[in-house]
Structures are given as structure tokens and as C-alpha cells.
Amino acid sequence: MKVFHQISLLRDELKQARQAGKRIGFVPTMGNLHAAHIELVKKAQQTNDVVVCSIFVNGLQFNDSSDLDKYPRTLQADIDRLEVAGCDYLFNPDDAEMYPNGTEVQTRVICPTMTGVLCGAARPGHFDGVTTVVSKLFNIVQPDEAVFGLKDYQQLAVIRRMVEDLCMPICITAMETHREGDGLAMSSRNGFITATERPKVVILSQQLNGIREAVQSGREDFSQLENEAIQAIEQAGFKVDYFSICCSKTLQRVDDKTEAITVLGAMFTEGARLIDNLSFSRVR
Ligand code: PAF
């Protein structure tokens, strides 16, 4: 795998690949790679001739500096994993390369819908940081296809919207959430879950599944269902950030007409904020 830290050198390399008629797949990450990231790389390999992975811990999307400071940085282990997976290129820029004029005056890409709710309500400016860095990365790599995990459902929806609104010629592919044996969604933040908490955090995915069963068996008292899930999570010892039954496309609150439903939840453990979601269609 070739590793690039500079935009210009990566561009030269990818220009040659493009001129040779190669299709370019892209997997943007912030590093601390685990099995779910490698699945994204493998997915990109299936439909592209070369795959670029990026590792950049994007300060612009963190609204809490202590969260940014403690974000796990495991570059050598990440490189080893990508090598084993057969990834072709790694783009690993530093802050000065990505934000040469500083983040304060960086031009922003802002998606005005879907970004102020759920994770966006708790983390103001988070999605502006995501859409800004992802559009920069898309401009640098110019991929034919980019692969994202469904675990960050809201991020995926916002990125799809950005690509549509800005006419970016990139196919956005979503990968199912990769889960541990008990259902916990894989995440770089799982390393912050304590041993005592670990058996209990599965409550989040259990409540998502419980809501699917309830809605598909005809319950429509959505607020009550949300409250019951929140109570169950609190009883397991966790603080709930949000737990919301939404329309899959708009992320607005579900209503009587919504057919495609996504339930999204976020809760706090001692050292981490965990998110998860589940999509399903309503059975009439
Ligand atoms: O999902 C992530 O890891 C990040 O939000 C992304 C898409 C790489 C942008 O920094």
C-alpha cells in the first residue's frame, strides 16, 4: 500500500490511475480501524479497480476539545490492517495539509436540513465539519464511489443529500452495521466502554429491535414506545441522549404516512457516547 501525506502527490498518483481507465473507490475514516472499517474497504474493492482509504481526525467536526484529544490514534496498527486487507492507497494528511488557512476561516459546506436534530442537536456544528471535510476529501480523491457505514445513519443521510445538492458525480454506497456477537454496533469508541458496562450496553440495540417488533405488529403510539425504550436504557444505568422514531429519508418524526422508518438512539456510558439505529418498513 502506498501512503500519501500530501494532496499533490496523491492527486498525481490517482490521475495516472484514472487515465489508465481505473475506477476509484474511497473509504474516508478517522482511523482506529476495526473490522467494520475493513468491511468498507472490502466492499469498495468489489466494484472498483483501486481503493483509497483516508485517515484524518477532523478537528472541525468535534465540538468538544477533550473528545478530540482523547480520540484514539493508532496509525501503525491501521496501516498494518489496511495492508492485510489489500488496500491500494492511504491518504493521511495532517491539519496543515487539510486546513492550510486554519479552521476558523475555512470555507464551510453546510447542509441546512437534517443536521440540527439527533446527533446534530447534541453536537452543534458537527455535521458542518463532516460535510466540509468530506467534500474536501471528495475533491482531493475524486472517487467514482465512496463507501460509508450505516451505523452513522444521520451522517450518511446528510452526505447523500450533499452529493445530490452539489451534483457531485460520486456513487454513495452504504454498508450494513457490523456488530459484535451480542449485537453491539462496532465503533472506535467501544474501547472506552468499561468491563462492568460492557454486558449492559447491548440494551441500545435491544431497544431498537424491540421498537421494530412493536411497530411491525401494529403499535403506532410512537411517543410511548420512545419513552419505554428510554426508561429501559436508563434502568440499565445509562443516560439517554436521544431515542427517536423517524422517517428514514428526512429524519423528521415519524407520522401516520411514514412507510420507511429508522429508529435512532444515542446514550452515554462512563467514557463514551454510543449511537445505533435500525431501519425497517411499516407493515400495514
Ligand atoms: O465517519 C467518520 O469517520 C468521519 O465522520 C468521516 C466521514 C471520515 C469524516 O471525518
Side-chain angles (χ1 to χ4, degrees), residues 28-30 58 61 130 133-134 148 152 155:
T29 80
M30 295 204 298
N58 176 37
Q61 69 189 71
V130 171
V133 82
V134 171
F148 293 86
D152 296 299
Q155 168 173 282

Side-chain angles (χ1 to χ4, degrees), residues 139-177:
N139 282 335
I140 293 164
V141 176
Q142 297 181 29
D144 296 282
E145 180 180 7
V147 186
F148 293 86
L150 269 169
K151 191 192 68 95
D152 296 299
Y153 187 90
Q154 187 175 10
Q155 168 173 282
L156 178 70
V158 169
I159 289 171
R160 280 193 193 287
R161 187 61 190 265
M162 173 188 84
V163 164
E164 183 185 331
D165 285 350
L166 299 182
C167 309
M168 293 176 166
I170 301 169
C171 166
I172 303 295
T173 298
M175 267 295 278
E176 274 307 319
T177 302

